[in-house]
Amino acid sequence: MVRKSVNLLLTRTLNGCLAAMIKQERLRLPQLIQIWTNMTHLEEACPHWEEVISSVTGTALEQLHSARLYGSSIFIDARKDAESELRDQLKGQLDEFFELADYRWTPSGIASGPSNYIIDMLNFLQSSFQTVFTALPADVAKTCCLDACKHIGKKLLNFLVSKEVSDFN
């Protein structure tokens, strides 16, 4: 009965709360990374919860084949949702840089350097990946970085081939 109650708590209450919380627009990258980290630790705690429940109910862990806790899968799903939301928010913040951009595709003279919008965007990415994303495992941070680079490439390509740009130099 204890295991069933814990499973109901995990699947109905906690899972719904996590899904709703991860989708909140007010969450920023650091909060999403903290959620991702917390889900990893909660997933790692599931075997210990199994031990506690087994000791309370007097059931040996070896006897549990179908009556396991569902926590691990819930925390894995929540972590994947948080990672997806991380990538979406990063793309959204990059989109804000592009929306602010006022590119002159045919300047009257030679530019002395790159656009300030590009410099600001690169500074944002550099500071994000050197501070906020260091809390994530390297493979997750690399995936987010690669996703951001692909997004920037697509946005720049869309700028160049849009009907608004008739020529550039």
Side-chain angles (χ1 to χ4, degrees):
M1 190 66 174
V2 173
R3 186 170 278 102
K4 182 178 179 181
S5 297
V6 172
N7 274 331
L8 285 173
L9 176 69
L10 290 173
T11 57
R12 291 188 184 163
T13 307
L14 186 61
N15 191 29
C17 290
L18 286 172
M21 183 178 61
I22 289 170
K23 294 295 181 189
Q24 289 180 355
E25 289 185 20
R26 64 182 174 87
L27 287 180
R28 294 290 162 228
L29 294 175
Q31 288 92 7
L32 286 168
I33 290 172
Q34 186 62 54
I35 290 169
W36 191 97
T37 303
N38 292 348
M39 293 307 103
T40 301
H41 291 296
L42 288 170
E43 178 192 350
E44 292 169 357
C46 281
H48 302 291
W49 294 348
E50 286 278 359
E51 290 175 15
V52 170
I53 292 171
S54 292
S55 69
V56 168
T57 60
T59 309
L61 284 174
E62 296 80 29
Q63 293 175 335
L64 303 174
H65 31 74
S66 62
R68 288 256 187 234
L69 284 180
Y70 302 132
S72 289
S73 62
I74 289 168
F75 298 132
I76 289 169
D77 292 345
R79 196 173 63 223
K80 287 178 183 176
D81 290 346
E83 187 178 332
S84 174
E85 190 65 25
L86 254 172
R87 290 192 311 268
D88 290 347
Q89 274 203 18
L90 186 59
K91 288 179 194 175
Q93 289 182 340
L94 293 173
D95 286 344
E96 288 178 20
F97 282 102
F98 283 105
E99 288 169 8
L100 294 173
D102 184 26
Y103 293 104
R104 287 179 288 145
W105 296 104
T106 55
S108 57
I110 297 174
S112 61
S115 164
N116 286 335
Y117 301 103
I118 296 292
I119 292 172
D120 290 343
M121 182 172 36
L122 293 176
N123 286 336
F124 161 75
L125 285 171
Q126 183 178 17
S127 68
S128 294
F129 282 103
Q130 287 180 343
T131 57
V132 178
F133 283 86
T134 57
L136 293 172
D139 60 326
V140 176
K142 285 178 187 176
T143 301
C144 289
C145 183
L146 187 61
D147 210 34
C149 290
K150 286 179 183 178
H151 188 69
I152 291 169
K154 286 179 187 176
K155 292 296 270 190
L156 289 173
L157 181 63
N158 288 341
F159 265 148
L160 293 175
V161 298
S162 73
K163 294 179 180 178
E164 297 166 5
V165 178
S166 58
D167 58 338
F168 56 88
N169 57 13

